[in-house]
Amino acid sequence: MINEHLAAILADSFWKILLPGLTVTIPLTVIAFSLAMVIAVTAALIQFARVKILRHLCRFYIWVFRGTPLLVQLFVVFYGMPRIGIVIEPFPAAVIVFSINEGAYCAEIIRAALESVPPGQLEAGYCVGMSYLQTMRRIILPQAMRTAFPSLSNSLIAMVKDTSLAANITVVEMFRAAELINARVYEPLALYIEVGLIYLMFSTVLTKLQSMGEKRLNVYTNREE
Amino acid sequence: MVLEIRNIRKSFGALEVLKGVDLRVEQGDVAAILGPSGSGKTTLLRCINFLEAADSGTMTFDGETFSLDRMPRKDIARLRKRTAFVFQDYNLFRNKTALQNVSEGLVIARKMPRNQALDISRRALEKVGMAGREDHYPHQLSGGQQQRVAIARAIAAGPEIIFFDEPTSALDPELTGEVLAVMRQLAEEGMTMLVVTHEMSFARTVSNKVIFMENGVVVETSSSGAFFRDPQEERSRAFLRTVRAAEMG
Ligand SMILES: Nc1ncnc2c1ncn2[C@@H]1O[C@H](COP(=O)(O)OP(=O)(O)O)[C@@H](O)[C@H]1O
Ligand SMILES: [Mg+2]
């Protein structure tokens, strides 16, 4: 089945797909996920500390971004916003949407993790003279992030795959690159499987990193707890 | 230093847990708070250290008087730095080693230079017999060891009084001795302590003062010798009878 012609196409396209993977998919994921973490930790802490008003704002934000499709959010920002004079380049538009969308999911993960830390930890912080903020920063948040780590890793892996949606707003990431090659050579089965395998490669590396990270974090948490 | 609590009241919803409690602890006292389960002992200690907000009452600490129902955050922070609390279930910081558990408050809350804090912390751990376990995380220690680290954490900053809430109740019987021994040693060194306990032998032999509580009121306050020899109140006698019956097995 696989003749020399097809093999040549696959070998040639492999680099043409991997390259935007390294220069677009990965940077998009890394930047958006980092921003998502900042948003998520902030939103989770605001809710955990029951900050007035802001807390309702957070609930609203999470409600909207978890309740609407990512694809719709991408379209609103990239194709819709120009109607009100806001024109954003494809890559930054993708960064914005992915970080805000992911931030909403991760905020919930981190909030749940914060709530799972026994209240005695905060009280012990108070009793050694630490303030609320000092105890949050040094004791509660680190424990919560450890609890949240596996779920956050899963979100990161899901996000790598979801970046393929950015193809819809003309970001030439891996999937779009595969589409463009396919438009020239028309080998959809081979090319889409190929791009799928490259995503699989990325996810596998991340899964490996996740289990290494979990091992390190286990230093201070036994699994029986 | 004298700690005096007057007429402290606390309700949880419709449940009145503290119904006007008075107590007085003087420098060097080891005061044992005794009483049946549910009588409000934990709530009392928690209100004294502001982990719960009392509904009313006053506290006089070292000459300064405070209204317990409206404590400015600044005063709470200031007072907490002069006291320490040992919890029933230890509450060691789970993400910190034994040494870090002790040094954390010194470095972060008291802004002590790290090296000095670590020196003090090592000495505190040594004192409770935990030298050599500095780098263990709480989950790598037995309950008795965790509680001794918690005591090291309590003494490290040189508090004027330490509150203990049933420090041995969560421990297997064979582990209570090592914790009580540390507390006995602190008492001998003159540390002022207010201890909620079910350990009658500790109350009898280590404490000099007994505060017997029931149903949210202090029924009797006596020297510990007098309390065990000749309790003044019928309810104290009844309590001691049940305790003794239980001790006989
Ligand atoms: N946070 C709380 N909310 C509601 N009820 C509480 C709370 N803490 C304690 N109580 C109730 O107050 C009473 C006294 O409790 P506690 O102070 O723990 O007693 P003790 O330490 O003497 O056993 C109990 O009936 C308990 O159920
Ligand atoms: Mg209690």
Side-chain angles (χ1 to χ4, degrees), chain A:
Chain A
M1 274 261 293
I2 299 188
N3 53 35
E4 270 171 39
H5 173 67
L6 186 56
I9 289 178
L10 285 176
D12 180 51
S13 60
F14 180 78
W15 298 108
K16 289 183 174 148
I17 296 172
L18 185 61
L19 190 65
L22 299 176
T23 59
V24 181
T25 299
I26 290 179
L28 175 57
T29 308
V30 169
I31 299 170
F33 198 78
S34 308
L35 291 175
M37 279 300 108
V38 174
I39 296 172
V41 169
T42 310
L45 286 174
I46 286 171
Q47 291 181 79
F48 183 74
R50 306 193 191 291
V51 181
K52 286 180 214 125
I53 306 166
L54 280 183
R55 158 188 180 213
H56 298 290
L57 226 60
C58 288
R59 290 311 314 164
F60 179 77
Y61 150 65
I62 290 164
W63 175 63
V64 170
F65 280 86
R66 288 205 312 172
T68 56
L70 184 50
L71 190 57
V72 172
Q73 293 165 18
L74 282 166
F75 273 50
V76 168
V77 170
F78 186 72
Y79 297 112
M81 299 284 239
R83 267 298 168 87
I84 52 170
I86 302 173
V87 181
I88 309 174
E89 292 293 306
F91 186 82
V95 168
I96 291 170
V97 172
F98 282 110
S99 52
I100 296 180
N101 178 276
E102 193 70 8
Y105 283 94
C106 294
E108 285 298 272
I109 293 172
I110 295 171
R111 185 181 60 83
L114 284 169
E115 272 158 18
S116 76
V117 177
Q121 295 286 304
L122 181 59
E123 295 181 347
Y126 286 152
C127 288
V128 300
M130 295 204 284
S131 67
Y132 179 79
L133 288 177
Q134 287 172 333
T135 313
M136 287 307 291
R137 187 164 54 79
R138 307 273 313 176
I139 309 296
I140 312 296
L141 197 54
Q143 290 183 30
M145 292 313 276
R146 194 260 159 269
T147 307
F149 186 80
S151 307
L152 294 177
S153 306
N154 287 339
S155 299
L156 175 62
I157 293 168
M159 187 168 181
V160 174
K161 295 175 288 166
D162 286 345
T163 55
S164 59
L165 288 173
N168 293 288
I169 60 167
T170 76
V171 176
V172 185
E173 41 64 69
M174 289 207 292
F175 179 66
R176 183 83 185 124
E179 276 190 318
L180 292 174
I181 296 166
N182 183 51
R184 258 191 306 112
V185 300
Y186 199 67
E187 285 293 347
L189 180 62
L191 283 168
Y192 292 141
I193 286 178
E194 184 174 36
V195 71
L197 287 173
I198 299 178
Y199 277 111
L200 186 59
M201 203 169 80
F202 283 15
S203 311
T204 308
V205 170
L206 284 174
T207 310
K208 199 79 203 139
L209 289 175
Q210 169 180 6
S211 63
M212 279 163 55
E214 278 179 36
K215 280 219 187 69
R216 280 199 53 159
L217 289 167
N218 267 337
V219 169
Y220 68 76
T221 327
N222 56 343
R223 284 189 174 280
E224 291 79 52
E225 268 182 323

Side-chain angles (χ1 to χ4, degrees), chain B residues 26-37:
Chain B
E26 282 166 49
Q27 180 81 43
D29 271 351
V30 177
I33 303 180
L34 307 182
S37 176

Side-chain angles (χ1 to χ4, degrees), chain B residues 12-13 15 17-18 35-44 46 52 88 165-166 196 198 213:
Chain B
F12 292 111
L15 179 69
V17 175
L18 298 177
S37 176
S39 53
K41 306 180 298 295
T42 295
T43 307
L44 175 63
R46 289 173 60 83
E52 298 290 351
Q88 187 169 349
D165 186 13
E166 298 200 30
V196 173
H198 284 152
M213 279 184 74

Side-chain angles (χ1 to χ4, degrees), chain B residues 42-64:
Chain B
T42 295
T43 307
L44 175 63
L45 277 198
R46 289 173 60 83
C47 286
I48 295 176
N49 213 20
F50 316 104
L51 295 173
E52 298 290 351
D55 300 332
S56 65
T58 61
M59 164 192 283
T60 304
F61 186 80
D62 199 21
E64 268 185 287

